[in-house]
């Protein structure tokens, strides 16, 4: 795969930043999905606002994923 081939050619700093980007990508998706499914949150936020915040987090994660892929090329 092209991504893994490029990954082997990078410096340790670039590899660390790539892995860190993947971790935060997963974190944003996890937080967005958690806002959808967690019914009794410790902080009272109306469900519609939780959905809006969850969608914003998932869209932001998608934008970061596209930027992460573009930096690989």
């Amino acid at each position: 795969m092209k991504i893994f081939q490029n990954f082997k050619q990078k410096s340790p700093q670039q590899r660390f930043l790539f892995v860190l980007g993947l971790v935060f990508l997963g974190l944003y998706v996890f937080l967005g999905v958690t806002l959808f499914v967690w019914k009794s949150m410790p902080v009272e936020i109306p469900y519609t606002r939780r959905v809006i915040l969850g969608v914003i987090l998932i869209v932001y994660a998608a934008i970061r994923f596209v930027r992460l892929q573009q930096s690989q090329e």
Side-chain angles (χ1 to χ4, degrees):
M1 292 211 148
K2 186 178 179 181
I3 293 175
F4 294 117
Q5 190 176 28
N6 287 343
F7 188 72
K8 291 179 183 178
Q9 297 174 355
K10 291 184 177 279
S11 69
Q13 180 184 9
Q14 289 175 328
R15 278 185 270 172
F16 173 74
L17 291 175
F18 176 73
V19 170
L20 190 65
L22 288 177
V23 167
F24 274 95
L25 174 75
L27 181 68
Y28 291 136
V29 171
F30 174 75
L31 286 174
V33 171
T34 302
L35 286 172
F36 289 144
V37 296
W38 196 0
K39 297 297 179 192
S40 60
M41 291 181 62
V43 179
E44 289 295 324
I45 302 174
Y47 185 72
T48 55
R49 291 191 180 175
R50 286 193 323 200
V51 169
I52 291 170
L53 182 59
V55 168
I56 289 171
L57 283 171
I58 292 172
V59 167
Y60 181 65
I63 291 170
R64 286 187 59 110
F65 179 72
V66 169
R67 289 181 62 197
L68 193 63
Q69 275 194 332
Q70 287 176 352
S71 71
Q72 293 295 315
E73 294 174 0

